[in-house]
Amino acid sequence: MRFKLIFLPALLLSAQAISANIEEVKADDIISRDVVAGDRTFSLPPGQWHVIARSKSNGTDVAGNPFPIRNVLLAQYKNNELFAMVRVISPLGDLSKFGRNGWKDDPCSNLKSVYMQDKLEGNYRLPECVYVRPVFGFGSSADSYWQDAMRRIQSAGVSTPPLMVVVDYNYYRDGGFVHFSIWLNPEMAGVARDPALTAIDSKWNSENIQGPYKNFADQAGSWAYRMAAAVKSSYNGNPQPVPKLPYITVR
């Protein structure tokens, strides 16, 4: 009996930490450790992540041959509020034989209204970019992918803020690419909601941000480097965990 009392919680714990294959996940699944896309394993920040949207598409190489790309969007909830979201977009296999069609030589180009951006070690052969920016009117997109996501969040009885801060990392290499994005809810860090109706008047405007709003943006920017390093480690066969989300306090 003593053995069973110790062993059963261990089974429950391991069941919560099973990796999820991006090709097989379904809406409303819960993932608690990482997402596997072909040969890559992408770690998630700590917590339980609900699958709220997914899509399948095909890229094409220079000869017009298709290769599969998968997209999954996950959400984490705290106290009936949207705590954060994670999106992973990645092909399922090595793309070196497909050529460079769709390649972005500079993923940092043409970015607007960002709090920070950095090409890191990116170059023409291995482009990469990490940036942080505000998302005004969060959840108002007419795109069916986002509508599905918002419906699942609402059906869970979870409220969403009018603004999220997104940390986005893009990395390209001959064997493939990854777009790894994390949306942060600043209200979960105790930052007061800004009632402004337009981006130009908002306290989150990147041109005049200050006070606790700037503190949160700066904190997200500092964390973005550690997140990017963890995601990039998936390409060396030794994926590192994405660090705990950068919330100073949680209500």
Side-chain angles (χ1 to χ4, degrees):
M1 179 64 70
R2 181 177 299 170
F3 174 79
K4 290 182 179 180
L5 288 174
I6 296 173
F7 185 63
L8 181 57
L11 284 176
L12 294 175
L13 179 61
S14 64
Q16 295 177 354
I18 294 175
S19 302
N21 191 316
I22 198 171
E23 180 78 331
E24 300 172 355
V25 294
K26 304 180 296 298
D28 301 320
D29 282 353
I30 298 176
I31 306 171
S32 56
R33 191 174 68 186
D34 45 47
V35 171
V36 177
D39 297 332
R40 315 297 178 199
T41 297
F42 299 106
S43 298
L44 300 173
Q48 291 192 329
W49 295 93
H50 301 252
V51 177
I52 58 173
R54 60 188 301 271
S55 68
K56 297 181 177 182
S57 61
N58 286 321
T60 55
D61 65 11
V62 291
N65 300 310
F67 58 84
I69 299 174
R70 298 297 179 257
N71 180 325
V72 63
L73 182 65
L74 315 169
Q76 187 174 149
Y77 311 136
K78 298 281 188 181
N79 302 324
N80 296 323
E81 295 185 61
L82 180 60
F83 186 66
M85 296 194 314
V86 174
R87 183 176 64 189
V88 181
I89 303 175
S90 177
L92 292 180
D94 190 333
L95 305 185
S96 57
K97 63 183 178 181
F98 293 111
R100 294 164 62 92
N101 192 51
W103 191 271
K104 289 188 178 181
D105 293 325
D106 182 6
C108 272
S109 65
N110 301 319
L111 292 176
K112 298 179 180 179
S113 300
V114 296
Y115 299 133
M116 64 81 74
Q117 64 181 43
D118 196 327
K119 296 180 182 180
L120 302 172
E121 298 175 344
N123 54 55
Y124 179 77
R125 292 185 62 253
L126 298 171
E128 63 180 316
C129 177
V130 63
Y131 61 88
V132 180
R133 66 178 179 84
V135 179
F136 295 98
F138 173 76
S140 60
S141 174
D143 181 87
S144 60
Y145 174 91
W146 285 101
Q147 288 184 346
D148 286 346
M150 293 304 109
R151 278 196 293 268
R152 287 193 172 88
I153 291 174
Q154 292 168 3
S155 66
V158 173
S159 63
T160 58
L163 177 137
M164 297 277 274
V165 172
V166 64
V167 180
D168 206 338
Y169 176 61
N170 298 266
Y171 181 51
Y172 294 79
R173 58 183 293 151
D174 291 342
F177 65 85
V178 61
H179 299 167
F180 196 99
S181 308
I182 296 188
W183 284 259
L184 304 170
N185 179 356
E187 296 179 18
M188 299 302 291
V191 181
R193 180 175 297 190
D194 178 17
L197 299 178
T198 61
I200 194 171
D201 297 323
S202 174
K203 292 182 174 67
W204 290 103
N205 188 310
S206 60
E207 298 297 323
N208 52 25
I209 188 171
Q210 55 186 316
Y213 306 93
K214 187 177 188 306
N215 291 341
F216 185 83
D218 289 346
Q219 184 183 14
S222 176
W223 179 85
Y225 287 98
R226 293 185 290 142
M227 181 270 269
V231 175
K232 188 175 181 179
S233 72
S234 299
Y235 284 85
N236 63 19
N238 183 30
Q240 301 300 307
V242 173
K244 183 179 179 181
L245 294 173
Y247 292 125
I248 299 173
T249 59
V250 178
R251 289 187 293 136

